Amino acid sequence: MLPDILILYIVLAPGLVALTGLVHKQIGDKVVMGLTTAVVLSAGALSLIQLFAYVAGLGGHTGTEEHHASLVAATTGMEIKQHVITLMPWISVGEFQANWAIRVDTLSIVMMAVITGVSGLVHLYSWGYMSEDPHKARFFSYLSLFTFMMLMLVTEDNFIQLFFGWEAVGVVSYLLIGFWFKKDTAIFANMKAFLVNRVGDFGFLLGIATLLMYTGSLDYSTVFSHAESLSG
């Protein structure tokens, strides 16, 4: 795996660079487009390096962030290397604790490469596709923000973060689908997506509440350790 600082760059940088869309009038559309594209492409390159190194078995780990290295037996019975970077305490209610953390394991390594790789190609394609649109800086900002939210969705370490990522992806999807908000078809499509997601939210929250009731935690490691008893 990559050092912690590079993992943080992959996950957080697309979200930070999306903020340049707020000052596009001051710095220019081309600067926003160039920065968002460069950051997502560089994150994609690092993700691919991490994926190939992991597959090749070169995954040593260095870094100063607090982390836990262990072998976790998932429901498949396969041993999966897990690395957790704790960013900060998030929720503390009585005995319930939830940190804001980034979990790096086999699945998240693959998904980071897929998300940043595809998003980088979309950014490149959009240079031509959006060349005549007067609001292209806003579009690139949305694309980069969507990339960040997708990365948050696949690198979470607990089910509350998972729900946050799910909701955030839904919000940015709403913005992208309705980008041309003067078109009735775009408004209808993003409202339809919004309403369908709310139906999914209900089942999602029921599932999270059920896990909390049976395991007393929403942390992945704790919940996965109860996998056998829950399936029985």
Side-chain angles (χ1 to χ4, degrees), residues 10 39 45 135 164 209:
I10 293 171
V39 167
H135 306 293
F164 169 83

Side-chain angles (χ1 to χ4, degrees), residues 8-60:
L8 291 175
Y9 177 84
I10 293 171
V11 177
L12 302 180
L16 294 175
V17 78
L19 298 177
T20 58
L22 298 175
V23 293
H24 71 96
K25 291 183 179 179
Q26 288 75 30
I27 63 178
D29 291 351
K30 289 293 179 67
V31 174
V32 175
M33 295 164 66
L35 287 174
T36 53
T37 303
V39 167
V40 173
L41 285 174
S42 60
L46 290 171
S47 296
L48 288 174
I49 291 172
Q50 178 174 242
L51 175 61
F52 293 146
Y54 189 81
V55 171
L58 304 177

Side-chain angles (χ1 to χ4, degrees), residues 142-161:
Y142 286 173
L143 275 183
S144 190
L145 186 61
F146 183 77
T147 305
F148 167 67
M149 296 308 181
M150 285 291 291
L151 289 168
M152 293 305 302
L153 182 63
V154 301
T155 59
E156 77 293 332
D157 188 47
N158 58 68
F159 285 92
I160 297 181
Q161 270 186 264

Side-chain angles (χ1 to χ4, degrees), residues 1-7 46 49-64 67-70 81-85 104 109:
M1 296 180 189
L2 295 174
D4 288 354
I5 188 66
L6 293 182
I7 294 175
L46 290 171
I49 291 172
Q50 178 174 242
L51 175 61
F52 293 146
Y54 189 81
V55 171
L58 304 177
H61 214 102
T62 60
T64 58
H67 67 275
H68 312 280
S70 62
K81 288 184 178 179
Q82 164 195 317
H83 177 70
V84 178
I85 305 171
V104 185
I109 287 174

